[in-house]
């Protein structure tokens, strides 16, 4: 069981996804009643932020300009001027996590708003006392004979999911590197084999020492990998998208 307030939970939503927050918050609270959920809101007005704060219990809300220095916010705003919502969310993921770790001095579990977490998430939480980062592979097929389309997704979308990541309070160097490369380019750039912020996760276990890749029995089920995951009874679902 997680010790009280040892880790924070963080998610990023735009105004179209705000309806997902109640289920996400209640799902986390059902496993960790004392958990803190921190939410970065993109494109929300002050009125919308106040309404969400009132409707979503045990959640703290932030705007993008509150998590980075003003000069950095202006730079990011210019670079992201014509970017998609997915790209904007991708760039702000490492900056948001870095801000929380630096200010709260605690580890952070990043979770996409459409995910419903399950009891096996405690395995990841416990590992953050030893590792700085915990990653979940996407579980795309590793044999092209099994599914060539699925095999190619390893190259198109990366080995690890960015929907659920664990970072310890000592993960600043990991997040600073991730923020730097996301600022460089965060888009679905097929020519360069880049898929938003997710492709860069391929490098983290190579560059940094204290990184744990979760064993194959632990699954994070998303729209991307749902068709490729087996039904082995030994598999443990850590989180599953509510949009599938």
């Amino acid at each position: 069981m997680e010790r009280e307030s040892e880790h924070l939970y963080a998610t990023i939503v735009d105004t179209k996804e705000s309806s997902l927050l109640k289920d996400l918050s209640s799902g986390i609270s059902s496993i960790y009643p004392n958990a803190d959920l921190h939410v970065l809101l993109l494109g929300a007005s002050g009125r919308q932020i106040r309404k969400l704060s009132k409707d979503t219990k045990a959640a703290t809300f932030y705007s993008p300009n509150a998590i980075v220095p003003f000069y950095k916010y202006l730079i990011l705003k210019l670079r992201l001027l014509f970017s998609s919502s997915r790209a904007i969310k991708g760039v702000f993921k490492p900056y948001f996590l870095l801000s929380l770790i630096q200010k709260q001095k605690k580890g952070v579990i990043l979770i996409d708003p459409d995910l419903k977490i399950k009891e096996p998430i405690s395995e990841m939480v416990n590992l953050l006392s030893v590792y700085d980062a915990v990653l979940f592979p996407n579980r795309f097929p590793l044999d092209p004979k099994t599914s060539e389309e699925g095999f190619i997704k390893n190259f198109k979308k990366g080995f690890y999911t960015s929907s659920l990541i664990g970072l310890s309070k000592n993960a600043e160097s990991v997040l600073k590197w991730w923020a730097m490369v996301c600022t460089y380019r965060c888009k679905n750039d097929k020519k360069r084999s880049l898929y938003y912020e997710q492709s860069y996760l391929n490098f983290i276990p190579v560059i940094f020492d204290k990184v744990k890749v979760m064993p194959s029995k632990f699954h994070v089920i998303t729209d991307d990998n749902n068709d490729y995951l087996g039904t082995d009874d030994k598999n443990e679902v850590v989180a599953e998208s509510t949009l599938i």
Side-chain angles (χ1 to χ4, degrees):
M1 175 65 71
E2 179 189 32
R3 291 193 293 273
E4 183 175 352
S5 298
E6 186 177 0
H7 299 93
L8 310 174
Y9 291 79
T11 194
I12 301 178
V13 298
D14 57 32
T15 52
K16 294 179 181 178
E17 299 171 316
S18 60
S19 60
L20 299 171
L21 288 176
K22 279 190 178 180
D23 287 342
L24 175 62
S25 179
S26 62
I28 294 172
S29 297
S30 68
I31 300 175
Y32 299 117
N34 298 314
D36 295 323
L37 176 61
H38 295 253
V39 183
L40 179 63
L41 283 169
L42 301 176
S45 65
R47 181 181 177 184
Q48 288 171 316
I49 292 175
R50 288 191 294 272
K51 185 178 186 304
L52 284 171
S53 298
K54 182 178 179 181
D55 294 344
T56 310
K57 296 180 180 179
T60 304
F61 293 86
Y62 303 77
S63 60
N65 62 315
I67 65 168
V68 293
F70 184 67
Y71 77 91
K72 176 64 72 173
Y73 172 68
L74 291 179
I75 291 171
L76 291 176
K77 190 173 182 180
L78 287 172
R79 291 186 67 87
L80 297 169
L81 194 58
F82 300 107
S83 298
S84 66
S85 174
R86 171 63 197 265
I88 295 171
K89 286 176 68 176
V91 170
F92 275 108
K93 275 186 179 182
Y95 282 107
F96 186 36
L97 299 176
L98 182 61
S99 173
L100 290 174
I101 285 176
Q102 290 177 333
K103 293 176 181 178
Q104 302 287 337
K105 308 300 181 185
K106 297 175 182 178
V108 181
I109 289 85
L110 170 69
I111 179 168
D112 275 2
D114 64 297
L115 290 185
K116 181 174 179 58
I117 66 170
K118 313 285 186 178
E119 287 286 351
I121 198 173
S122 60
E123 295 285 341
M124 179 187 76
V125 172
N126 292 337
L127 286 168
L128 289 175
S129 63
V130 179
Y131 297 95
D132 291 341
V134 178
L135 302 176
F136 289 90
N138 272 314
R139 306 296 174 210
F140 298 136
L142 299 177
D143 182 350
K145 294 179 181 178
T146 302
S147 169
E148 184 177 21
E149 180 185 14
F151 179 72
I152 295 300
K153 278 194 172 185
N154 286 294
F155 303 95
K156 287 184 175 181
K157 298 199 171 183
F159 292 134
Y160 308 105
T161 181
S162 61
S163 295
L164 181 64
I165 303 173
L167 288 308
S168 81
K169 63 182 179 180
N170 301 312
E172 283 193 34
S173 58
V174 175
L175 291 169
K176 285 178 179 178
W177 178 85
W178 195 21
M180 180 269 293
V181 290
C182 285
T183 304
Y184 155 70
R185 183 172 279 114
C186 187
K187 59 192 296 187
N188 187 10
D189 190 337
K190 296 178 182 179
K191 182 179 179 180
R192 295 179 174 86
S193 297
L194 293 176
Y195 185 71
Y196 300 105
E197 79 287 354
Q198 190 163 278
S199 297
Y200 297 121
L201 299 180
N202 291 354
F203 296 94
I204 288 179
V206 179
I207 299 173
F208 301 96
D209 293 329
K210 294 185 177 181
V211 178
K212 174 66 176 179
V213 175
M214 291 298 284
S216 59
K217 72 173 183 176
F218 293 102
H219 288 175
V220 176
I221 303 176
T222 66
D223 183 53
D224 279 339
N225 66 10
N226 186 43
D227 293 335
Y228 308 108
L229 298 177
T231 56
D232 192 328
D233 290 339
K234 295 181 180 179
N235 290 339
E236 296 191 58
V237 177
V238 177
E240 183 173 8
S241 174
T242 57
L243 301 180
I244 297 175

